[in-house]
Amino acid sequence: MSRSRSAPVSRRLVVALASACAAAMLATPSFAQASGARVVRLVVGSAPGASSDSVARLLAESFTRTLGRSFIVENKPGASGNIAADLVAKSPPDGSHLLLVYNAHPAVGALFPHLPFDPIKDFRSVGMVGTTPYVLVAAPTLPGRDLAEVLAQAKGAGKPLSFGSTGAGSPQHLTMERLRKESGVDITMVHYKGGALAANDVIAGHVDMALATPSLAMPQIKAGRVKALAVTSDKRLPELPAVPTVTEAGIRDFVSVGWFALLLPAATPAPVVQSYNEALDKALTSAPFKERLEAQGITPTPGAPEVLDRQMRADAKIWSRLIKDLNITPD
């Protein structure tokens, strides 16, 4: 009888000790230096200045404070984020390398069938960071006040539109491929390494349109360098009340919302994952961090790793089907 009563206590003790051990590992130099690393690297597959880069820097700052280790952001742009993902997938599973991804990550397996890593199986989820809609912006000289008028004029003239995307398989690319399919308007994709570069070419008039997060789009809209044609959310944005949704422009049930998340190498021990998830949730529920994230147009979404697991599996099915149906290739 005494053994039966003590068993639950022992299990709770084991869990508590495992969590404490993981926290201690993250807080001591030997943890990150097990593979010779002096700092923890938060790897992001975009250039400095992109939305994902900004999110990564906020997280690195927060984790440095709460986990007692130095976190730095390492930018590895190119190949639709695959360079960054490959680096982390093959890193030591000791918590010394984190990967910040956005919602294109689950789709890269379908777009690049010969990747040296599996975007789902080679990673462990830490958790969702936040979600954000996109704003479709255009060069001020492009005819049409909003998306409905732009599409109508392009159809009438039989002239293709050009779109600056942040690389093949990016959320912007796949979202616009869907718009091309459902609107019947020819839209030519021009790929860039980052959203800021695509936006610059829209401003210069080299390409007609680009999708940007509100944080990147708003300063350019306010300055009159670009005009907002539509937003991809299900409702109009409070900061852009006069800008219609894509659905209002005539493309039924068209909603495309981006998300950011943190991943670790697949073999990372569960206590380390748990410690990172707790640190992430602590950041996302703190008022100063939330305010800084929301200022970028991103809604914090704290939650368990399993929530991100489900999201990635669901998105992999949706985007893989679109890629197959439209025969989308990386070129």
Side-chain angles (χ1 to χ4, degrees):
M1 292 294 290
S2 60
R3 292 174 61 185
S4 175
R5 287 194 299 270
S6 63
V9 175
S10 299
R11 284 196 293 271
R12 288 196 297 271
L13 180 61
V14 169
V15 171
L17 287 174
S19 298
C21 180
M25 287 172 66
L26 285 170
T28 58
S30 60
F31 166 73
Q33 291 175 356
S35 59
R38 294 182 179 273
V39 296
V40 179
R41 286 171 166 77
L42 179 46
V43 184
V44 57
S46 61
S51 293
S52 51
D53 172 72
S54 298
V55 172
R57 294 183 188 279
L58 286 177
L59 289 171
E61 180 182 323
S62 177
F63 287 173
T64 296
R65 288 195 308 269
T66 60
L67 294 174
R69 294 290 301 128
S70 293
F71 285 75
I72 64 168
V73 174
E74 188 168 318
N75 298 93
K76 293 290 182 180
S80 300
N82 294 332
I83 295 173
D86 186 49
L87 186 156
V88 174
K90 296 174 181 175
S91 296
D94 58 3
S96 62
H97 290 74
L98 282 159
L99 178 66
L100 181 74
V101 296
Y102 44 88
N103 53 306
H105 180 79
V108 296
L111 192 66
F112 302 92
H114 303 296
L115 283 175
F117 65 90
D118 187 296
I120 306 297
K121 297 179 181 179
D122 287 344
F123 297 93
R124 287 197 70 163
S125 295
V126 173
M128 295 282 288
V129 177
T131 60
T132 180
Y134 299 111
V135 182
L136 181 61
V137 298
T141 54
L142 184 69
R145 292 174 299 176
D146 54 30
L147 180 59
E149 289 190 3
V150 168
L151 293 177
Q153 293 196 35
K155 282 183 179 180
K159 180 182 178 181
L161 296 168
S162 59
F163 171 79
S165 78
T166 54
S170 67
Q172 292 89 337
H173 174 214
L174 296 178
T175 297
M176 290 304 289
E177 288 284 7
R178 179 183 169 192
L179 180 64
R180 179 173 68 89
K181 175 186 177 183
E182 297 188 20
S183 69
V185 173
D186 187 10
I187 301 175
T188 301
M189 305 294 164
V190 182
H191 299 303
Y192 295 83
K193 287 187 177 180
L197 297 175
N200 286 340
D201 269 9
V202 171
I203 294 170
H206 300 316
V207 292
D208 294 325
M209 304 179 295
L211 274 175
T213 57
S215 61
L216 288 177
M218 288 305 298
Q220 307 301 335
I221 295 169
K222 289 180 179 178
R225 298 188 184 99
V226 298
K227 59 184 177 183
L229 300 180
V231 295
T232 64
S233 49
D234 58 345
K235 298 178 181 178
R236 296 191 182 196
L237 302 183
E239 57 267 46
L240 293 170
V243 179
T245 66
V246 177
T247 299
E248 289 177 311
I251 312 299
R252 185 177 177 183
D253 297 328
F254 193 106
V255 177
S256 181
V257 177
W259 50 259
F260 300 96
L262 279 178
L263 303 175
L264 286 162
T268 304
V272 175
V273 177
Q274 180 182 349
S275 290
Y276 271 128
N277 178 262
E278 290 173 355
L280 176 61
D281 278 5
K282 183 176 181 179
L284 295 176
T285 54
S286 70
F289 190 95
K290 286 176 62 179
E291 289 174 4
R292 294 175 69 181
L293 206 59
E294 289 169 348
Q296 299 186 39
I298 300 169
T299 302
T301 54
E306 292 76 19
V307 175
L308 177 56
D309 287 337
R310 291 193 293 270
Q311 183 73 56
M312 290 212 300
R313 287 194 296 267
D315 282 9
K317 291 181 180 179
I318 292 170
W319 292 123
S320 296
R321 188 179 305 115
L322 178 71
I323 289 167
K324 182 179 179 180
D325 290 348
L326 297 182
N327 193 29
I328 298 172
T329 65
D331 301 325

